[in-house]
Amino acid sequence: MLLIGLTGSIATGKSTVSSLLSSPPYNLPIIDADLLARKVVEPGTTGYNAIVSYFGPTTPDLLVAPGPDMPENGPSGKGRPLNRPALGRRVFGDSPEVRKDRARLNSIVHPAVRKEMALAVLKAYVKGYRAVVLDVPLLFESQLDKYCGTVLVVGVKDPKVQMDRLRARDPHLSAEDAENRVRSQGDVREKAERATDRGEGKGVVVWNDGDKKELEQQVREVFWKGVVEKQSPRWWGWWLWACPPAAVVSALWNYWGNLQVDKRWREKKEAERAKL
Ligand SMILES: CC(C)(COP(=O)(O)OP(=O)(O)OC[C@H]1O[C@@H](n2cnc3c(N)ncnc32)[C@H](O)[C@@H]1O)[C@@H](O)C(=O)NCCC(=O)NCCS
Ligand SMILES: Nc1ncnc2c1ncn2[C@@H]1O[C@H](COP(=O)(O)OP(=O)(O)OP(=O)(O)O)[C@@H](O)[C@H]1O
């Protein structure tokens, strides 16, 4: 089974691409890191408790306010849900304190998300899917790219297009909140470069500055026909499914190859830094 890592930057079009890939003719299962990141911090979970105990004392509005529709102990009796915009204001931005808080939140949420992802991948394999999409905004940052057979980066070249789409989709965000969110993520051009450096078929970039039709066409021609159909023909998927040891060997081989790619990438970046 081919693991497709789908990434980009905020509001560059990952969800739009994942909804294309989950519909006909592709019909791939999507494992959405943002959704899992919500699930693992629901009231009553270990993640929720860790967030409340770390951020609670310094964030008065950390939980959704009680009211006629929100009982004091939350709808499930396990506590009121997190007030996500308030937590977002604590962790999105550039200052050292905000970075520290973001690292803390990541250290609570990411391990739980990885566990849920591994389970979902295993389920997709058992069901016999030919490929599965891991929709992960922080794919490279969280090292999940190493498990992927191919990485698809959805980027937007013009920062204004990205900001306009973000503000149109999330009108509740102030201009400053939106800027902070964009700045909290690595530059999408660097992600595109990393994808390309993986080598042909192992990394693809689609630029989504045009309209949705253009995006759809790139997904079909560049990604599906150019990569998936070549990298993972149907017979190969069936073979890996019918022979689990072959799937394990193939996964290990892929992981080892990606470690080498990562090593080359680090050396290249160090050489560039040394030149400055
Ligand atoms: C801070 C939180 C509560 C804000 O929630 P909110 O509903 O307002 O935003 P949402 O979760 O939909 O995220 C929107 C986008 O922000 C970006 N983003 C989210 N978390 C992070 C992060 N830790 N670092 C950088 N960018 C992030 C992603 O592009 C994401 O798609 C939430 O983003 C969160 O819990 N983040 C930590 C977990 C995480 O890293 N999630 C990303 C996938 S694992
Ligand atoms: N080519 C396009 N033309 C016009 N609007 C687009 C295009 N691609 C995406 N959008 C819109 O831009 C917004 C952001 O896209 P999307 O939600 O897919 O981004 P994302 O990368 O998944 O964002 P996030 O990281 O916040 O989850 C959405 O409202 C989407 O409908």
Side-chain angles (χ1 to χ4, degrees):
M1 188 177 70
L2 178 67
L3 251 62
I4 301 168
L6 171 61
T7 192
S9 194
I10 187 162
T12 55
K14 297 175 298 292
S15 307
T16 309
V17 169
S18 69
S19 73
L20 283 174
L21 291 175
S22 66
S23 330
Y26 315 108
N27 297 317
L28 299 183
I30 310 292
I31 302 174
D32 183 327
D34 281 341
L35 286 183
L36 294 179
R38 283 168 190 262
K39 181 176 162 198
V40 301
V41 299
E42 276 170 8
T45 59
T46 315
Y48 175 85
N49 295 337
I51 289 171
V52 171
S53 76
Y54 179 78
F55 290 96
T58 47
T59 318
D61 55 350
L62 181 66
L63 303 181
V64 173
D69 297 330
M70 181 54 69
E72 195 63 44
N73 272 332
S76 61
K78 293 177 181 166
R80 279 176 276 130
L82 296 173
N83 175 2
R84 299 179 69 86
L87 183 53
R89 283 190 286 277
R90 285 291 308 269
V91 303
F92 292 129
D94 253 351
S95 71
E97 308 83 67
V98 165
R99 279 169 182 264
K100 183 176 148 255
D101 283 341
R102 184 158 73 243
R104 183 59 181 252
L105 179 65
N106 288 348
S107 75
I108 296 169
V109 178
H110 290 183
V113 168
R114 275 199 287 270
K115 216 157 121 190
E116 292 284 330
M117 273 190 163
L119 268 176
V121 167
L122 197 65
K123 273 189 200 158
Y125 171 74
V126 170
K127 286 185 182 167
Y129 280 104
R130 164 189 190 179
V132 62
V133 179
L134 305 184
D135 179 347
V136 190
L138 307 177
L139 187 84
F140 291 111
E141 296 86 335
S142 56
Q143 313 283 325
L144 286 167
D145 57 305
K146 301 208 176 57
Y147 300 94
C148 296
T150 191
V151 168
L152 172 58
V153 171
V154 188
V156 169
K157 285 185 178 158
D158 182 349
K160 187 176 175 311
V161 171
Q162 181 184 10
M163 186 54 70
D164 288 350
R165 286 183 187 161
L166 175 59
R167 299 290 309 278
R169 190 197 58 188
D170 297 341
H172 60 280
L173 294 179
S174 68
E176 192 192 352
D177 287 346
E179 285 284 353
N180 280 336
R181 285 180 180 230
V182 171
R183 274 205 295 270
S184 298
Q185 298 203 349
D187 187 341
V188 75
R189 278 163 301 192
E190 177 162 314
K191 295 183 185 188
E193 193 187 333
R194 283 190 81 160
T196 315
D197 267 27
R198 285 169 60 99
E200 206 188 326
K202 297 194 104 260
V204 190
V205 183
V206 295
W207 293 108
N208 182 24
D209 293 75
D211 61 19
K212 288 189 180 173
K213 262 206 147 28
E214 240 174 83
L215 178 67
E216 210 176 316
Q217 190 190 355
Q218 287 190 73
V219 167
R220 185 175 59 246
E221 299 299 327
V222 182
F223 181 62
W224 190 258
K225 291 190 183 157
V227 175
V228 179
E229 297 209 320
K230 286 188 189 149
Q231 274 255 99
S232 186
R234 211 166 274 283
W235 66 265
W236 176 245
W238 281 117
W239 160 239
L240 294 183
W241 184 75
C243 180
V248 172
V249 171
S250 163
L252 289 174
W253 176 249
N254 175 57
Y255 184 72
W256 185 83
N258 288 337
L259 286 180
Q260 308 312 306
V261 168
D262 191 57
K263 193 166 157 249
R264 281 202 302 277
W265 168 262
R266 282 170 201 277
E267 286 166 359
K268 179 176 148 183
K269 287 290 137 184
E270 263 165 37
E272 280 173 12
R273 267 196 296 276
K275 268 195 215 155
L276 292 176

